[in-house]
């Protein structure tokens, strides 16, 4: 970028800090479990309209979508570049979230993942709404979609971004997601498959019926076998990770458990490795379920599997084009932070475009730690660097 644009970004990022902190503080108090982001969505949409955005909507998936185009552009014909950050947090709270500031840090559940990145995206959009020259530069050759999306976390299963691409996939040429921490720049998607396995058997009294199959024991045996036999890499050499996340069930300490549930996932960056893991998982569950049905008198005895969510990995994306996009992003990160970007793969909203062959980066724009805990924090001084990175990508 030329020196004039660089100075515009630096000056605005410095001047916008108090406004960004105030916005972050407001957003961070609003509860937003995956699938229940409506209150945050309403605030974000209202804020954008107050800042001058004319084309703002909340879609059926609770995504807030702000369409930016230069004056005179033909609607619905130009390609789109998406800049997104997710609104949801991992916590189920429905009451106001606690926020405190201490020692230059802001503490709140979900403050870094992803509320601070969302605040940065909104403040960058504010410059485009206020500065006609900046908007013209950012929309040269394409329109922008500024998206505060839903359902990135956990069992949200990327529903917000899926809905976005169901609507706009044919027009989107690049996708940027702001998530996680500086200096991350992710262009390889970690795919995952998540399942729930239910064990059913007759159960009975812990003393008088001792020896009957126990649903908890059956699932414990299943977990042990999966950990002992599940491949740790695919035939292509790509690593596979597994996790037994929850196991619950039973009636009382003196009852043989007749029902129990296990939640299990596996992950890999390779579609082939995921397919092989799925085949192994299905085979183990089928064999053990059949054995349980023969060993127990209950007509419904056995194991039942349901799919909780599937996040796709990287698909057939043009690696040269993706490489150019990532190199440009990494250059901006270096210029702003002086640090070498971290390209480690991750599971983010960018999984969806990457699986569809659309170049995408997930970029961290804050510094902090302890994500997915109630002690999560961000360094408020890092907001300036993050805003410079976002604007650099918009105006490059």
């Amino acid at each position: 970028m030329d020196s004039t644009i660089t100075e515009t970004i630096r000056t605005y990022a410095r001047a916008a800090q108090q406004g960004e902190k105030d916005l972050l503080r407001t957003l961070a108090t609003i509860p937003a479990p995956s699938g229940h982001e409506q209150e945050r969505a309403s605030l974000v949409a209202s804020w954008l309209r107050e800042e001058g955005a004319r084309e703002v909507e909340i879609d059926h998936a609770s995504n807030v979508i702000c369409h930016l185009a230069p004056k005179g552009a033909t609607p619905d014909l130009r390609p789109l570049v998406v800049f997104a950050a997710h609104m949801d947090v991992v916590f189920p709270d429905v009451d106001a979230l606690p926020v405190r500031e201490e020692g230059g840090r802001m503490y709140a559940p979900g403050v870094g993942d992803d509320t601070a990145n969302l605040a940065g995206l909104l403040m960058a959009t504010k410059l485009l709404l206020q500065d006609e020259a900046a908007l013209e530069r950012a929309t040269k050759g394409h329109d922008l979609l500024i998206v505060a999306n839903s359902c990135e976390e956990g069992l949200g299963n990327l529903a917000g971004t899926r809905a976005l691409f169901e609507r706009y996939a044919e027009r989107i040429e690049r996708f940027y997601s702001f998530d996680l921490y500086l200096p991350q720049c992710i262009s390889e998607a970690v795919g995952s498959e998540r399942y729930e396995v239910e064990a059913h058997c007759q159960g009975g009294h812990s003393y008088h019926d001792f020896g009957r199959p126990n649903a908890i024991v059956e699932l414990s045996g299943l977990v042990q076998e999966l950990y002992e036999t599940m491949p740790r890499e695919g035939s292509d050499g790509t690593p596979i990770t597994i996790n037994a996340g929850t196991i619950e069930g039973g009636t009382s300490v003196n009852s043989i458990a007749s029902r129990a549930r296990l939640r299990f996932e596996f992950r890999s960056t390779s579609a082939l490795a995921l397919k092989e893991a799925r085949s192994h998982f299905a085979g183990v569950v089928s064999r053990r379920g059949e054995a349980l049905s023969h060993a127990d008198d209950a007509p419904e005895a056995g194991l039942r599997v349901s799919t909780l969510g599937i996040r796709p990995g990287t698909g057939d994306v043009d690696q040269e084009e993706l490489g150019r996009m990532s190199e440009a992003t990494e250059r901006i990160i270096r210029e702003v932070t002086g640090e070498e970007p971290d390209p480690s793969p991750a599971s983010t909203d960018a999984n969806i475009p990457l699986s569809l062959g659309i170049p995408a980066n997930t970029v961290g724009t804050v510094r902090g730690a302890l994500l997915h805990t109630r002690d999560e924090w961000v360094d408020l001084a890092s907001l300036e660097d993050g805003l410079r990175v976002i604007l650099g990508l918009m105006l490059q």
Side-chain angles (χ1 to χ4, degrees), residues 105-127:
R105 295 176 175 179
M106 184 179 291
Y107 295 80
V111 68
D113 183 18
D114 194 32
T115 314
N117 288 291
L118 174 60
L121 172 62
L122 294 174
M123 292 304 293
T125 304
K126 181 176 180 176
L127 175 62

Side-chain angles (χ1 to χ4, degrees), residues 42 44-54 56-58 129:
S42 178
V44 169
S46 296
W47 187 92
L48 286 165
R49 292 185 184 111
E50 289 169 3
E51 295 299 334
R54 291 188 296 273
V56 180
E57 65 171 294
I58 301 175
L129 294 170

